Amino acid sequence: MVVKSVRGRRRYIVYTVPEDTRWDDVLEAVSAEPPLPQIKVVSCFSGMAVIRTEPSGLEELGNRIHARWPGSESLVTSGTLRTIRDRYPQLRVHRKRKG
């Protein structure tokens, strides 16, 4: 596991988006110039999008999401996906077991 002092801190934010929004729609909305630091769309379904970024990119990320979907709002910001998935169980991604 890489320590935070090397990798840097990350924040995961859950935004509301229209129900029919796809992962690549969210990626297109947040990928405008200038690029945000360490931006990654983790998942997008059930009218919610989970996006990861550095703390310095939080405000600009919010601006880009609100510019694309004016009615969207930030539901929760966390340092871990576990906290987000515990609060919103519908965002859990079921993995296939190897074997």
Side-chain angles (χ1 to χ4, degrees):
M1 184 168 190
V2 179
V3 293
K4 290 178 195 153
S5 61
V6 174
R7 172 183 47 84
R9 294 192 177 272
R10 297 177 177 172
R11 291 292 175 259
Y12 297 90
I13 307 99
V14 179
Y15 286 100
T16 58
V17 292
E19 284 286 330
D20 60 341
T21 304
R22 296 185 335 236
W23 179 88
D24 53 338
D25 296 333
V26 177
L27 182 62
E28 180 183 318
V30 300
S31 295
E33 291 293 326
L36 291 172
Q38 290 189 4
I39 192 79
K40 179 175 181 185
V41 178
V42 177
S43 62
C44 180
F45 53 88
S46 301
M48 290 188 259
V50 180
I51 305 169
R52 181 187 75 203
T53 188
E54 289 182 346
S56 62
L58 288 175
E59 186 176 342
E60 180 60 26
L61 176 62
N63 292 340
R64 291 180 187 189
I65 292 291
H66 293 297
R68 179 71 179 260
W69 298 286
S72 69
E73 61 181 308
S74 171
L75 299 177
V76 65
T77 300
S78 175
T80 64
L81 278 173
R82 178 175 295 207
T83 300
I84 287 174
R85 290 175 176 160
D86 286 346
R87 189 169 295 174
Y88 297 99
Q90 66 270 30
L91 293 175
R92 290 186 192 272
V93 177
H94 299 289
R95 292 184 165 187
K96 294 181 181 179
R97 294 191 179 255
K98 294 181 180 179

